[in-house]
């Protein structure tokens, strides 16, 4: 298969119309599910859930749900901040 969209690209580009993205870390394709307008969910092979939120095509927030915590990464003044 051709790799035309990767996990790294999720930070800068909304995956509109994509059904899978390539995970560089896991070296496999993972499914992308649109769960709301401009919001997408990816579940990694180990079960982590990542919800990606976009505004004007740019990722403004990521909520990563793990077995031990939920981590929010947000864009503030074009700078990434962890909460």
């Amino acid at each position: 298969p051709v790799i035309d969209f990767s996990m790294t690209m999720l930070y800068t580009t909304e995956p509109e119309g994509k059904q899978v993205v390539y995970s560089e870390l896991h070296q496999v394709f993972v499914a992308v599910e649109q769960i709301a307008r401009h919001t997408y969910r990816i579940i990694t092979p180990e079960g982590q859930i990542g919800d990606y939120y976009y505004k004007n095509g740019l990722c403004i927030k990521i909520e990563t749900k793990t077995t031990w915590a939920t981590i929010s990464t947000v864009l503030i003044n074009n700078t990434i901040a962890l909460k």
Side-chain angles (χ1 to χ4, degrees), residues 9-78:
M9 294 172 68
L10 291 170
Y11 293 102
T12 59
T13 309
E14 186 170 352
E16 285 183 293
K18 301 293 180 189
Q19 296 180 346
V20 295
V21 297
Y22 185 74
S23 170
E24 298 94 328
L25 177 63
H26 301 99
Q27 298 182 0
V28 296
F29 286 93
V30 292
V32 178
E33 176 188 2
Q34 186 169 4
I35 58 173
R37 189 169 182 195
H38 305 293
T39 307
Y40 302 83
R41 175 167 288 165
I42 292 176
I43 301 175
T44 66
E46 62 269 306
Q48 290 183 354
I49 299 170
D51 291 341
Y52 293 75
Y53 300 82
Y54 292 84
K55 183 176 180 181
N56 299 323
L58 183 65
C59 186
I60 58 168
K61 178 179 167 184
I62 303 167
E63 284 187 355
T64 305
K65 298 170 183 88
T66 70
T67 56
W68 52 273
T70 297
I71 302 164
S72 293
T73 306
V74 294
L75 184 67
I76 301 173
N77 297 325
N78 291 327

